[in-house]
Amino acid sequence: MSVILTLLAALIATGACAYHRSSLRTFAIAAPLATLVVGLLTGAYWTMAVLLVVELGVAVPLLMPTFRRRQVTAPLLKMFARVTPKLSETEQTALEAGTVGFEGELFSGKPDWHELLKQPKPELSVEEQAFMDGPVEQLCAMVDDWQITHELADLPPEVWEFVKKNKFFGMIIPKQYGGLQFSALAHSAVLQKLSTMSATLASTVAVPNSLGPAELLLHYGSEEQKNYYLPRLAVGEEIPCFALTGPYAGSDATSIPDYGIVCRQVVDGVETLGVKLTFDKRYITLAPIATVVGLAFCMYDPEHLLGDREDLGITLALLPRSTPGLEIGRRHFPLNIPFQNGPIHGKDVFAPLSVLIGGPEMAGHGWRMLVECLSVGRAISLPSNATGAMRGSAAATGAYARMRKQFGLAIARFEGVEEALGRIGGLTYATTALSRATAAAVDRGEKPAVPSAIAKYHATEWARTVAGDTMDVHGGKAVQLGPKNYAGRGWSSVPIAITVEGANIMTRSLMIFGQGAIRCHPYVLKEMQALSIADYGERLRSFDRALFGHIGFGISNAVRSFAMGLSGGRMGDSAGDAYTRRYYRKLNRYSAALALCADTFMGVLGGKLKFKEKLSARLGDVLSYLYIASSMLKRYEDTGRPEADRPFLAWGFHECMWLIQNALDGAIRNFPVRPVAWLLRVLVFPLGRREVPPSDRLGRRVAALLTAPNEARGRLLEWVYLTPTPNNTVGRMNALLPEVIAAEPVERKFLKAQKAGQFKAHDYDGQLAEALAAGVVSQAEHDLLKRVRDGVFEFISVDDFDPSELRAAVTRADERKKKLADAA
């Protein structure tokens, strides 16, 4: 027993030092001291002596920097240099482009929650709120999505004019150039509200404010270019597009075959130094109506007119539409969502070097420019459009499920529908928190490369889930297209967001963990950077600091993951209130588990992990759900910890924990080195997999919140256009919802009399009149039932068409296309 107690003392002291990330010097004191005290008290002298030799034999040499570097670090440095894959210039640029925010804490295994909670609450300014209440409301009131998608295949001229006049294309442009200079949060809010009315309109507004000429000019343009283009872009005098994707370069944008050759050419009698461009681009949003085209191409200087280099690399240019040889093709038609989109071509198109964004000195810097701007734009545009669509679906489906009756009950009362409503509410809450967090990161000056990939992937994937549930709950109502159908086009548009700005399959399997593992890890990037230091002594010292920090980090995460796994995430530092404290502790546990698995996978597989995309995707999922869960907790804190929101928060949080568990389990189960996988399973799941998905009871509470007016529902539907205008079916439906609920006890009384055989009439109006005459309902109750019946009939009705109307729509579309072609 004395031997066991001595061993336990040494183990507990070592574990405590590792758990709290104490220094090596602290370990060298604490572990031997615990061993010595317990050994002397229990009389286990031989065990004590052996343990002291081991503990001091490990600690003392490592505390001697010169000896440690020469005997331990130097051989490991050689090994590390041999096995570490060399980063390509493209990969290096991508890694250096972004910044690290709170996602770095989540990768640390020991998040500092006070860093998250001290971030300022994101809020709209007075000016931004006035824009939401004024021009955005007015624009939503003008939109008829059926007219846009079916009759015109375009925005109406008055909508185009309104968008330009009110500077919707200039939200990111500073006021000095005539723009609105809105925050990222306001930019997101505008897109969310517009997307509740029209995916076509939201996409049209999003693109000029995302990755495009304005964003690139702001960061890299010359003063002359800024002064010329930005004022015109702000008021829609110039319509921009950006041409990156082509037939042979989609997700792999760095392999673009489009090229430009530096040369001299006589223009208007003057010999001009410029570039001769050949390109073939497709899927370019706003291209058919663009007046200025941003173009990405590979630039070559075979005659060395600009310097010694021949291959200058990816370069960006701005070409006026009037450039001779620039050919803007016909329109693409993406899944019946007719935002302007089409191909662009050119062969031997000559343009002066002044068209290069930033001038000739920025030649070859295009990839860095794209990556830096893309992380900002991707953090806002697609997540915001997806969030707005989900909020709109939550508003529509919650109200419809309360109004639509089958078997004498609102369909919201059926558990199958209730399950879908729970999913809609929980995922919408999580996605609103996610899009809010990424917008806030941009407003803090970050370039959130990893969070933007997380937001783009998960917001659009969850929008797909919510769109499917919306279709299922509405049934035939959502299938029959027409002016009364507010769900069908949203369902059709989902794959577009899944595909653009980095296809989701590639984003998940390559980008989230691929960038996060190096950028967010506290030591990996430092170790890799140490290899590039020219001076050997400094290289050895830098690598030594990073290496032993990394070793301590790994041991600590192993201990923390095991200890918190044993406690079920009930121990450790925390934050929040009594309700959320347990949530923070769960995140501590899985943060340690992620850090442990990531270190182990990278250490064992090395460069091969780069090609194990399914493993990388699962670890990326863990990082994503940690980030989303922390975003939900921050949203809960920012809104004043409202008790009414707790069902939404709980559903979203438990869903994230369930998905984290599944991702970790899948990664460990498929890890190719089985003994390592067995050890990881013990450290990560010492008591097995204990997480469960959101319960049926919790889903019922979420569904109840969605189907009745309340403060939690109001916060969830923030930035949804709910004004009950003639063009807004969902707004009118929500306006009727309180009366629908008020009528329910009267309906029960009416149905009871009906079942009792008190009415002779067979039609509803006749029965209602008899009920009034018999005193079953009062006059006020009669009028309420009549209003609700008439109102609900509008919302459950579907459209039908004379065959000639459908043929006429095709003819009108053909005529419009011909007019546009003639005008061009």
Side-chain angles (χ1 to χ4, degrees), residues 586-615:
K586 274 188 179 290
L587 293 181
N588 285 337
R589 175 194 174 184
Y590 288 117
S591 172
L594 170 63
L596 171 64
C597 289
D599 265 341
T600 304
F601 282 31
M602 288 189 288
V604 174
L605 297 180
K608 293 180 182 177
L609 181 58
K610 185 177 178 180
F611 305 102
K612 296 287 186 181
E613 294 173 19
K614 286 178 277 190
L615 292 180

Side-chain angles (χ1 to χ4, degrees), residues 408-455:
L409 290 173
I411 62 171
R413 297 281 298 278
F414 294 97
E415 289 198 350
V417 173
E418 189 180 81
E419 183 180 22
L421 289 171
R423 209 162 31 238
I424 290 171
L427 292 181
T428 300
Y429 184 88
T431 308
T432 60
L434 173 61
S435 63
R436 191 182 188 92
T438 50
V442 173
D443 282 332
R444 291 194 301 270
E446 297 178 21
K447 293 180 179 177
V450 176
S452 70
I454 291 171

Side-chain angles (χ1 to χ4, degrees), residues 320-390:
R321 186 178 183 127
S322 58
T323 302
L326 173 62
E327 178 187 343
I328 295 182
R330 300 190 302 171
R331 287 179 61 180
H332 296 314
F333 196 35
L335 291 177
N336 275 0
I337 307 300
F339 58 91
Q340 295 285 336
N341 187 274
I344 296 177
H345 315 285
K347 182 171 177 59
D348 295 334
V349 176
F350 182 81
L353 290 184
S354 60
V355 302
L356 302 186
I357 296 178
E361 57 269 25
M362 293 302 290
H365 293 282
W367 178 240
R368 176 171 63 85
M369 296 157 69
L370 287 172
V371 171
E372 289 180 349
C373 288
L374 184 61
S375 68
V376 175
R378 188 166 50 197
I380 306 299
S381 55
L382 289 168
S384 300
N385 286 354
T387 302
M390 292 171 74

Side-chain angles (χ1 to χ4, degrees), residues 602-772:
M602 288 189 288
V604 174
L605 297 180
K608 293 180 182 177
L609 181 58
K610 185 177 178 180
F611 305 102
K612 296 287 186 181
E613 294 173 19
K614 286 178 277 190
L615 292 180
S616 293
R618 292 184 180 105
L619 293 181
D621 288 343
V622 177
L623 177 60
S624 297
Y625 297 128
L626 286 171
Y627 185 81
I628 294 167
S630 62
S631 300
M632 285 191 283
L633 290 171
K634 180 66 165 69
R635 184 190 194 279
Y636 175 74
E637 293 288 333
D638 284 345
T639 50
R641 301 176 177 176
E643 186 175 346
D645 285 10
R646 287 179 181 175
F648 287 136
L649 172 63
W651 197 103
F653 188 87
H654 288 303
E655 178 75 1
C656 284
M657 295 307 100
W658 165 249
L659 294 171
I660 284 174
Q661 175 183 264
N662 291 345
L664 285 169
D665 175 61
I668 293 170
R669 184 186 297 118
N670 289 280
F671 191 69
V673 185
R674 297 313 300 155
V676 175
W678 298 333
L679 177 60
L680 278 177
R681 185 166 292 281
V682 171
L683 294 173
V684 174
F685 298 117
L687 299 179
R689 291 168 290 156
R690 309 294 291 272
E691 302 293 347
V692 294
S695 68
D696 292 349
R697 180 172 176 271
L698 183 57
R700 186 176 304 116
R701 293 174 65 195
V702 171
L705 288 177
L706 273 192
T707 54
N710 55 76
E711 58 174 302
R713 185 177 190 265
R715 277 187 290 271
L716 188 70
L717 303 187
E718 183 185 26
W719 302 335
V720 175
Y721 181 64
L722 290 177
T723 307
T725 50
N727 68 322
N728 188 11
T729 304
V730 176
R732 297 196 309 279
M733 191 158 57
N734 273 267
L736 183 66
L737 183 58
E739 286 202 313
V740 170
I741 295 170
E744 286 176 346
V746 184
E747 282 183 333
R748 287 193 291 270
K749 186 165 54 172
F750 174 78
L751 289 172
K752 184 179 179 181
Q754 185 187 54
K755 289 178 180 178
Q758 294 186 32
F759 310 139
K760 297 184 183 296
H762 296 291
D763 64 296
Y764 182 84
D765 288 342
Q767 291 176 346
L768 194 57
E770 289 184 39
L772 177 62

Side-chain angles (χ1 to χ4, degrees), residues 26-291:
T26 302
F27 164 77
I29 296 170
L33 184 60
T35 302
L36 182 64
V37 171
V38 177
L40 290 173
L41 290 174
T42 60
Y45 302 118
W46 279 107
T47 304
M48 176 187 72
V50 172
L51 288 174
L52 286 173
V53 169
V54 172
E55 290 164 352
L56 295 173
V58 171
V60 172
L62 295 180
L63 287 169
M64 301 167 61
T66 303
F67 174 84
R68 182 183 71 226
R69 289 173 189 148
R70 185 172 63 250
Q71 300 299 325
V72 181
T73 306
L76 291 175
L77 175 60
K78 290 181 182 178
M79 185 186 303
F80 186 76
R82 189 167 57 251
V83 300
T84 301
K86 183 175 176 57
L87 291 177
S88 67
E89 185 178 345
T90 297
E91 292 172 319
Q92 187 70 35
T93 299
L95 285 174
E96 294 173 352
T99 58
V100 178
F102 190 74
E103 67 276 11
E105 290 287 335
L106 297 172
F107 221 106
S108 72
K110 190 181 180 184
D112 183 352
W113 296 111
H114 300 291
E115 285 295 316
L116 174 69
L117 299 181
K118 76 179 185 182
Q119 292 171 357
K121 175 184 176 181
E123 292 182 296
L124 298 179
S125 68
V126 173
E127 179 185 6
E128 291 166 346
Q129 187 61 56
F131 189 79
M132 291 290 292
D133 296 338
V136 178
E137 279 275 321
Q138 295 170 42
L139 180 56
C140 287
M142 297 170 66
V143 173
D144 179 346
D145 198 51
W146 177 250
Q147 179 193 40
I148 292 169
T149 57
H150 184 72
E151 297 174 2
L152 300 179
D154 192 7
L155 301 178
E158 63 272 17
V159 170
W160 277 111
E161 182 61 31
F162 188 89
V163 165
K164 294 176 183 179
K165 179 181 177 182
N166 288 276
K167 303 183 180 180
F168 278 83
F169 292 158
M171 287 190 285
I172 65 170
I173 296 175
K175 292 181 179 179
Q176 71 184 92
Y177 299 108
L180 296 174
Q181 197 175 342
F182 278 174
S183 65
L185 181 68
H187 179 186
S188 176
V190 171
L191 294 181
Q192 287 188 46
K193 197 159 198 173
L194 296 182
S195 68
T196 64
M197 288 301 293
S198 170
T200 303
L201 176 61
S203 298
T204 301
V205 172
V207 169
N209 292 289
S210 181
L211 175 63
E215 181 83 13
L216 293 165
L217 285 169
L218 281 171
H219 289 88
Y220 310 107
S222 66
E223 286 304 312
E224 182 181 359
Q225 289 171 334
K226 291 178 183 178
N227 291 331
Y228 179 80
Y229 279 114
L230 291 178
R232 290 168 169 76
L233 290 169
V235 297
E237 185 178 336
E238 298 276 10
I239 301 295
C241 70
F242 189 80
L244 176 61
T245 303
Y248 300 102
S251 296
D252 182 14
T254 58
S255 65
I256 52 177
D258 312 287
Y259 61 90
I261 307 296
V262 180
C263 62
R264 296 185 187 277
Q265 184 167 312
V266 176
V267 178
D268 295 331
V270 179
E271 188 177 62
T272 304
L273 181 62
V275 59
K276 190 173 288 186
L277 299 158
T278 296
F279 50 90
D280 182 14
K281 305 288 190 179
R282 63 181 182 181
Y283 310 152
I284 311 306
T285 299
L286 297 185
I289 60 166
T291 62

